[in-house]
Amino acid sequence: MPVAHERRNRLMLAIIAIGVVHIGEQLMFGIDEFHKLRAAFDGWYALFPDERVDEAHMLLITLIGTIVSLGFYAMMRGGTPALVVISAFGGIGLKEVYHWIEAIQAGAYTSGLATSFAYVWAGWQIKQEVSHELKLRRKQRKLAAKAVAA
């Protein structure tokens, strides 16, 4: 396995571990993020009449399960589809920068801030690795096309 893949694999394990520690931090110091996430789903449930809330919940679980399953399938396929999924993990890490904004607005520590630095760093590193690999693949395709044309 090339060194670049080994680094990317280590970064994926790191961001998974950081996610677990990040949730642990929030469980210890406040689950405000959970309440925000829960409120975000209010719009979903509002699309359904009250007597259909169970169906709305099952449909949401099915949609999320399908997205996760497609991610697994992309990882099994390898190549660019796998890189898209890996890049999404990088995006998850990068979005944690919002903890910095919250802390600045609050003028104090907010739950999730401490681990958000590692999360953002790992997300940035993953995005860099994926970008580098995609550029390398494009370059290799161009060289292969030139070789075939010659």
Side-chain angles (χ1 to χ4, degrees), residues 30-88:
I31 58 170
D32 298 340
E33 189 170 6
F34 167 74
H35 297 296
K36 291 175 189 169
L37 182 61
R38 195 168 170 189
F41 283 107
D42 287 346
W44 169 259
Y45 290 105
L47 297 172
F48 300 87
D50 289 342
E51 64 273 5
R52 306 298 278 207
V53 72
D54 290 342
E55 287 89 346
H57 189 71
M58 291 307 297
L59 183 57
L60 182 61
I61 290 170
T62 301
L63 291 171
I64 292 169
T66 301
I67 290 167
V68 169
S69 297
L70 287 170
F72 281 125
Y73 179 69
M75 294 297 284
M76 288 172 23
R77 293 272 325 250
T80 302
L83 289 174
V84 169
V85 173
I86 293 165
S87 183

Side-chain angles (χ1 to χ4, degrees), residues 5 11 17 28 33 43-44 52 78 82-83 91 104-105 117 131:
H5 293 150
L11 285 167
M28 289 189 325
E33 189 170 6
W44 169 259
R52 306 298 278 207
L83 289 174
I104 290 168
Q105 289 172 338
F117 292 98
S131 176

Side-chain angles (χ1 to χ4, degrees), residues 15 89-98 119-121 123-124 127:
I15 204 162
F89 274 87
I92 290 168
L94 285 175
K95 78 154 185 61
E96 294 300 314
V97 76
Y98 84 87
Y119 227 154
V120 171
W121 176 85
W124 176 257
K127 288 289 198 176

Side-chain angles (χ1 to χ4, degrees), residues 102-119:
E102 280 183 347
I104 290 168
Q105 289 172 338
Y109 167 85
T110 56
S111 182
L113 177 64
T115 52
S116 71
F117 292 98
Y119 227 154

Side-chain angles (χ1 to χ4, degrees), residues 2 5 8 77-84 86 129-145:
H5 293 150
R8 188 185 65 213
R77 293 272 325 250
T80 302
L83 289 174
V84 169
I86 293 165
E129 288 292 317
V130 169
S131 176
H132 176 73
E133 190 160 341
L134 288 171
K135 287 176 187 173
L136 186 62
R137 287 173 185 232
R138 277 187 225 112
K139 187 176 181 179
Q140 288 171 342
R141 279 194 301 269
K142 285 180 184 178
L143 288 173

